[in-house]
Amino acid sequence: MSNDNGETPPLRDRRRAQTEQEIGEVALTLFEKQGIDGTTVDEIARLAGVSPRTFFRYFATKERAALVQHRDLEDRVESMVATMHPHGSLLPQLEAVWVEVLTAFDNGRSEPGRQLLRVRRLMRTEPTLRTTANSLDAERLEALVARLTRLTGHDDELDARVLVETVGATVRVALDSWAEAHEAGHPVDLLETYQRCRGVMHDAVRAEPVG
Amino acid sequence: MSNDNGETPPLRDRRRAQTEQEIGEVALTLFEKQGIDGTTVDEIARLAGVSPRTFFRYFATKERAALVQHRDLEDRVESMVATMHPHGSLLPQLEAVWVEVLTAFDNGRSEPGRQLLRVRRLMRTEPTLRTTANSLDAERLEALVARLTRLTGHDDELDARVLVETVGATVRVALDSWAEAHEAGHPVDLLETYQRCRGVMHDAVRAEPVG
DNA sequence: AGCCAGTATGGCAGTGGCTGCCAACGCGGC
DNA sequence: GCCGCGTTGGCAGCCACTGCCATACTGGCT
């Protein structure tokens, strides 16, 4: 039975999270070393010390295993959203949330940051991973839209959807350039990159004659 | 040998396009009727009168078969881009291209429009189709970014990428609401929906204090 | 007409992702 | 020590997808 009030989550759950991490780590490492196509689930499972059957109880597809860290990022966004003010304008608040989250990942110097960098790099050469990550992301953003719409009491999701998706797009571009730059050997600051992306979009909109 | 100067494309190619369409149509219809999971490639192939082996010579995955029409949309965007002015500002031109293309699809009243509507509806209930469509889209947009960057002579893709992706996001949202509204029984105008999305984004940016 | 080269097709066998089912197994509460 | 439940492993099977080879077709050339 799950615990809602207690201090630490029950042992079972922590154990589960633990093995999830372990499998994820093994998967990511193997993928980096030999590519996704060159890695079978059996191999990951064997190295992680579980049966293939169990692997699929943790992750629906092999790609998802490499994205454990990425989920962290999205979890943080989700919890940040709780701090938003329901009646302020959405866009600046959303942007602020992302600034907060991206800062937490500290340009790859914190442990989660390093992990994120590994994943985003791998995404650049592995189309199936990119695809999976994007669709995971899309699910999360959709959930966020639903939550924001409920929060603001709007009857229509359109506004929230447009803003969440466009901001999401700038963030994706930022993460991508960030990983690209690191890969190319001239690392850049993640937050700074995001601010540049945001700037490009804002400037372009403002420059446009009102219509 | 392929023909570059000639009137109509060579017979071989037209034939190929023909069977591609046929397989696509069969696939889409089956998917609508029994869902994607409930449909095997063998079944599609049998109904389309080709061998399964041949099916995979036309489409890399079964989902892609249902997206033939969607490719049309993207082709149009690609050819529109040729008309853009290299030194004007990007955002308004991009938006204009999309307005043009979405108008051509005429709110589902033209044949391609009807096809597009079928696909976008199906996407709402079939996650794997949504995923495939999005990644197809992403590929196309990436190609577009490369082209725009070359065209404007910039050495950095960041600007183009941000703008293409954010505009792409608004279009995606528009297509989605459009399909949703049709499904719910209160059809809306596609172009109008897009303009609303664009408006939401522009207004939000303009409302934000300069920073 | 008849031949040649390039290409489209089909069949077959194989890999591997993923699932359902059932049989242990382990752990926490009585 | 026993029970109940959640976790695991093994097995069998489905089906997406691929490589390989044999065959048929097409369009061009003499």
Side-chain angles (χ1 to χ4, degrees):
Chain A
M1 163 153 275
S2 89
N3 144 337
D4 287 332
N5 50 341
E7 326 228 303
T8 18
L11 189 127
R12 282 257 165 94
D13 294 6
R14 266 182 300 150
R15 228 176 232 288
R16 186 172 178 85
Q18 172 83 13
T19 35
E20 205 175 61
Q21 287 288 330
E22 285 177 16
I23 299 178
E25 170 60 28
V26 170
L28 184 51
T29 309
L30 282 179
F31 290 166
E32 286 171 333
K33 200 191 317 177
Q34 21 177 300
I36 293 188
D37 287 348
T39 309
T40 68
V41 169
D42 287 43
E43 198 176 356
I44 303 174
R46 201 171 340 106
L47 258 177
V50 296
S51 75
R53 190 64 190 83
T54 297
F55 175 93
F56 285 111
R57 287 208 182 83
Y58 281 85
F59 303 103
T61 71
K62 62 171 168 171
E63 286 83 6
R64 294 234 173 189
L67 294 171
V68 192
Q69 315 302 332
H70 211 269
R71 262 192 1 205
D72 266 23
L73 186 83
E74 288 150 1
D75 286 345
R76 275 187 221 219
V77 173
E78 198 161 330
S79 65
M80 267 302 135
V81 170
T83 73
M84 287 177 55
H85 192 301
H87 296 302
S89 38
L90 240 50
L91 181 59
Q93 293 194 78
L94 270 175
E95 290 174 337
V97 164
W98 277 110
V99 165
E100 198 66 33
V101 171
L102 294 181
T103 306
F105 278 81
D106 188 31
N107 202 20
R109 279 185 289 272
S110 66
E111 189 50 30
R114 265 191 294 274
Q115 298 288 347
L116 183 65
L117 185 53
R118 288 174 73 193
V119 175
R120 297 300 302 195
R121 267 205 210 194
L122 196 53
M123 277 175 59
R124 308 198 72 253
T125 58
E126 298 278 2
T128 77
L129 188 60
R130 185 193 218 69
T131 296
T132 314
N134 285 340
S135 87
L136 229 161
D137 208 46
E139 282 173 36
R140 290 307 193 97
L141 295 188
E142 198 177 349
L144 208 159
V145 166
R147 219 172 125 188
L148 285 180
T149 311
R150 211 169 340 105
L151 213 73
T152 59
H154 263 261
D155 53 338
D156 188 359
E157 291 198 338
L158 197 86
D159 289 28
R161 200 174 287 173
V162 170
L163 297 179
V164 167
E165 293 282 344
T166 50
V167 173
T170 63
V171 172
R172 223 178 310 124
V173 173
L175 284 168
D176 219 51
S177 317
W178 174 62
E180 185 181 9
H182 273 263
E183 188 132 30
H186 6 81
V188 297
D189 190 68
L190 175 53
L191 186 61
E192 218 171 89
T193 307
Y194 168 67
Q195 298 286 24
R196 252 182 84 203
C197 293
R198 195 197 87 111
V200 167
M201 185 195 124
H202 279 245
D203 292 350
V205 171
R206 286 185 205 279
E208 200 162 330
V210 225
Chain B
M1 164 155 268
S2 88
N3 145 338
D4 287 333
N5 49 341
E7 327 226 304
T8 18
L11 190 129
R12 280 252 167 101
D13 293 7
R14 265 181 301 150
R15 230 180 229 290
R16 184 170 180 87
Q18 171 85 11
T19 36
E20 204 175 60
Q21 287 288 330
E22 285 177 15
I23 299 177
E25 171 61 27
V26 170
L28 183 52
T29 309
L30 281 179
F31 289 166
E32 287 171 333
K33 200 188 319 179
Q34 23 179 303
I36 293 189
D37 288 348
T39 309
T40 69
V41 169
D42 288 41
E43 198 177 355
I44 304 173
R46 200 168 345 105
L47 257 176
V50 296
S51 75
R53 190 63 189 84
T54 297
F55 175 93
F56 285 111
R57 287 209 182 83
Y58 281 85
F59 303 102
T61 71
K62 61 171 168 173
E63 287 82 6
R64 293 234 174 190
L67 294 172
V68 192
Q69 316 301 333
H70 211 269
R71 261 193 1 206
D72 266 24
L73 186 84
E74 287 149 3
D75 287 343
R76 273 186 223 220
V77 172
E78 198 161 329
S79 64
M80 267 305 134
V81 170
T83 73
M84 288 177 54
H85 192 301
H87 296 301
S89 38
L90 239 50
L91 181 59
Q93 294 195 76
L94 270 174
E95 290 173 338
V97 164
W98 277 110
V99 165
E100 198 66 35
V101 171
L102 295 182
T103 306
F105 278 80
D106 189 30
N107 202 19
R109 280 184 289 271
S110 66
E111 190 48 30
R114 266 190 295 273
Q115 297 289 347
L116 182 66
L117 185 53
R118 289 174 72 193
V119 175
R120 298 300 302 195
R121 267 205 213 194
L122 196 54
M123 277 176 58
R124 308 197 72 253
T125 57
E126 297 279 2
T128 77
L129 188 61
R130 185 194 218 70
T131 297
T132 313
N134 285 340
S135 86
L136 228 160
D137 209 45
E139 283 173 35
R140 289 306 193 98
L141 295 188
E142 199 177 348
L144 208 160
V145 166
R147 220 172 123 188
L148 285 180
T149 311
R150 211 170 338 107
L151 213 74
T152 59
H154 262 260
D155 53 337
D156 188 359
E157 291 198 337
L158 197 84
D159 290 28
R161 201 172 285 173
V162 170
L163 298 178
V164 167
E165 294 282 345
T166 49
V167 173
T170 63
V171 172
R172 222 178 311 124
V173 172
L175 284 167
D176 219 51
S177 317
W178 174 63
E180 184 181 11
H182 273 263
E183 189 132 28
H186 5 80
V188 297
D189 190 71
L190 175 54
L191 186 61
E192 219 170 89
T193 307
Y194 168 66
Q195 297 287 23
R196 252 181 85 202
C197 293
R198 194 197 88 110
V200 168
M201 187 195 126
H202 280 246
D203 292 350
V205 170
R206 285 183 205 280
E208 200 161 330
V210 227

